[in-house]
Amino acid sequence: RMGHEVVVCDKPMLIELPPRGKRLIIYTKRIIKKMLGMYSGYILISTPNNRTRIERKYTQQFIDKYIHRYIIRKLSEIHQNDIDAIVVGSDQVWRAYYFRGFWSADMTSAFLGFCEDRIKRISYAASFGTDTWEFDEEETKKCSELIKQFNGVSTREKSGVELCSSYLGYDKCKHVLDPTMLLNKDNYIQLFKNVNAPQSEGNMLCYILDEDDEKANFIDCLSKEMNLKPFRVNSEVENPNAPIEKRCQPPVEKWLRGFYDANIVLTDSFHACVFSILFNKPFVAFGNEKRGMSRFTSLLEVFGLEKCLITSVNDFSPEILNIDWQNVNRILAEKRSECLRYLQYSIDK
């Protein structure tokens, strides 16, 4: 919308099958077990990469339709003659464990160390995902040199600004909104209207990534107390013991429609908090240490919604659900304009 041609770097999804010489035996065993009710999976699909194809069959359709992907196996394969700028950013892309695992590269690549000098380098809402430093000494030294070559540096969490200053010696980092917040509610509504996504099956959205008995009991009690019907918009994708058909993620449009239809949202997901704010839905966020608490606290502090984050169900109070959305929307509009100006300035610089 700002007048640029954009592509997103992504890795290919590889298809892996059992060794050729063992396929007949493996498939035969599965057929027999299936007939005996001892196997709930797919006959011809079992390896992690193939399971991922099943889990993503709906979300992949959305990606193929809306995201212009540039498929590469490693970052060195980028044809740099074809690009003027590279933007690195969003969800925990500067978290060492995740970046190394996805791209099989050290953290200098996360700071665009592979770029030619003529290419503009920008970070938008790059996230460390934590408020503790995870780079080793050598990576810290190299990345502190690379960050000075950026046209603009911004992080998604306030703690990221502090990490850049304390460990990378960079004091010009800006704190910006998660990129999903650069679009407004109507943009997302149009997406599910385009496909006539059906109405959700309830009015209490429960988007829980790490389920446990305490949260389940809380949801049950609160739904009865408020006379609301709980529903989900996520599968059991992270449960390795769940049958493959229950791990298939729903369409993105259905996910978005869930926030539109909800009266309240109960979640331990960062982005469910984001979309609750975008759709002006009262929400309760269960603190999620494993997935990075700094993401939650930084987001909620911007909008004065710290009360929405609880670390135990015993901390819940009905007052949490009373939110001044007029004030929240005013802050959102101001921050969105500020972030877009930063992005434009970094591109034009």
Side-chain angles (χ1 to χ4, degrees):
R1 294 181 184 183
M2 294 167 69
H4 305 282
E5 182 182 356
V6 182
V7 295
V8 178
C9 293
D10 198 5
K11 293 182 73 173
M13 190 183 299
L14 302 178
I15 302 174
E16 296 179 356
L17 297 173
R20 186 181 298 274
K22 296 182 178 180
R23 290 178 193 171
L24 181 59
I25 296 173
I26 292 173
Y27 294 154
T28 301
K29 285 182 177 179
R30 288 181 188 166
I31 291 172
I32 294 172
K33 287 183 178 180
K34 191 87 166 179
M35 294 172 65
L36 296 174
M38 299 168 60
Y39 180 71
S40 60
Y42 286 82
I43 300 298
L44 301 180
I45 299 175
S46 64
T47 64
N49 282 327
N50 283 313
R51 281 200 297 270
T52 301
R53 293 173 68 86
I54 298 298
E55 292 162 2
R56 289 176 56 172
K57 70 176 182 178
Y58 295 122
T59 51
Q60 192 64 47
Q61 291 175 9
F62 184 91
I63 291 169
D64 293 341
K65 183 175 181 179
Y66 291 106
I67 308 298
H68 303 286
R69 292 193 300 154
Y70 180 37
I71 305 300
I72 53 175
R73 293 179 183 271
K74 49 188 177 181
L75 293 166
S76 60
E77 293 180 0
I78 295 175
H79 296 151
Q80 299 198 32
N81 290 333
D82 298 336
I83 56 177
D84 301 308
I86 293 185
V87 181
V88 57
S90 198
D91 208 11
Q92 306 199 70
V93 70
W94 279 354
R95 190 159 197 174
Y97 176 77
Y98 293 155
F99 186 86
R100 294 184 191 123
F102 187 79
W103 284 111
S104 301
D106 64 30
M107 292 308 296
T108 60
S109 291
F111 284 76
L112 309 182
F114 58 88
C115 285
E116 297 175 358
D117 290 341
R118 66 169 189 83
I119 294 175
K120 293 181 179 180
R121 310 178 195 191
I122 301 163
S123 81
Y124 183 83
S127 170
F128 292 96
T130 176
D131 54 9
T132 58
W133 191 247
E134 298 181 337
F135 296 15
D136 63 33
E137 186 176 347
E138 185 65 21
E139 288 175 335
T140 300
K141 180 180 178 181
K142 290 180 178 178
C143 292
S144 67
E145 297 169 356
L146 289 168
I147 199 171
K148 296 177 177 64
Q149 300 178 36
F150 277 65
N151 282 46
V153 177
S154 65
T155 57
R156 195 179 62 181
E157 290 84 36
K158 287 183 179 178
S159 59
V161 175
E162 296 168 3
L163 291 175
C164 285
S165 176
S166 299
Y167 293 93
L168 299 179
Y170 189 87
D171 296 323
K172 299 178 182 178
C173 180
K174 295 184 67 67
H175 175 222
V176 295
L177 295 173
D178 185 87
T180 56
M181 303 188 94
L182 297 184
L183 297 178
N184 61 44
K185 176 177 67 175
D186 292 336
N187 298 139
Y188 291 113
I189 289 174
Q190 192 59 51
L191 289 174
F192 64 74
K193 282 188 174 181
N194 287 344
V195 296
N196 295 315
Q199 186 172 346
S200 303
E201 297 175 353
N203 49 13
M204 174 188 277
L205 173 54
C206 304
Y207 189 64
I208 307 297
L209 301 177
D210 296 315
E211 300 193 40
D212 56 39
D213 292 339
E214 184 181 45
K215 291 172 189 171
N217 291 334
F218 176 74
I219 290 169
D220 184 56
C221 291
L222 191 62
S223 64
K224 291 176 181 176
E225 183 178 326
M226 300 187 69
N227 194 29
L228 296 173
K229 182 180 179 181
F231 73 101
R232 303 170 57 119
V233 289
N234 60 315
S235 70
E236 297 181 51
V237 66
E238 298 194 40
N239 178 6
N241 299 316
I244 187 66
E245 58 270 17
K246 290 189 176 181
R247 296 179 64 179
C248 180
Q249 291 283 51
V252 175
E253 293 88 349
K254 180 178 180 180
W255 190 89
L256 292 168
R257 175 84 199 230
F259 290 92
Y260 179 80
D261 291 333
N263 287 357
I264 68 169
V265 178
L266 306 179
T267 187
D268 59 0
S269 157
F270 169 82
H271 277 105
C273 295
V274 167
F275 278 84
S276 296
I277 292 170
L278 285 170
F279 280 86
N280 286 187
K281 301 297 180 175
F283 67 99
V284 179
F286 301 106
N288 196 328
E289 288 284 358
K290 292 192 297 182
R291 299 176 186 271
M293 282 288 284
S294 64
R295 301 184 300 154
F296 291 85
T297 55
S298 186
L299 170 72
L300 299 180
E301 284 175 4
V302 169
F303 298 98
L305 297 175
E306 297 95 328
K307 67 178 182 179
C308 296
L309 180 65
I310 63 175
T311 55
S312 166
V313 297
N314 296 323
D315 298 332
F316 174 76
S317 163
E319 195 275 331
I320 290 174
L321 302 175
N322 295 324
I323 296 175
D324 182 354
W325 289 115
Q326 184 175 356
N327 185 56
V328 168
N329 291 336
R330 177 187 59 79
I331 295 171
L332 178 58
E334 291 174 357
K335 292 293 183 181
R336 182 182 287 139
S337 295
E338 180 183 316
C339 292
L340 289 171
R341 285 196 301 271
Y342 157 78
L343 196 54
Q344 187 67 64
Y345 174 80
S346 298
I347 292 170
D348 293 341
K349 187 176 177 182

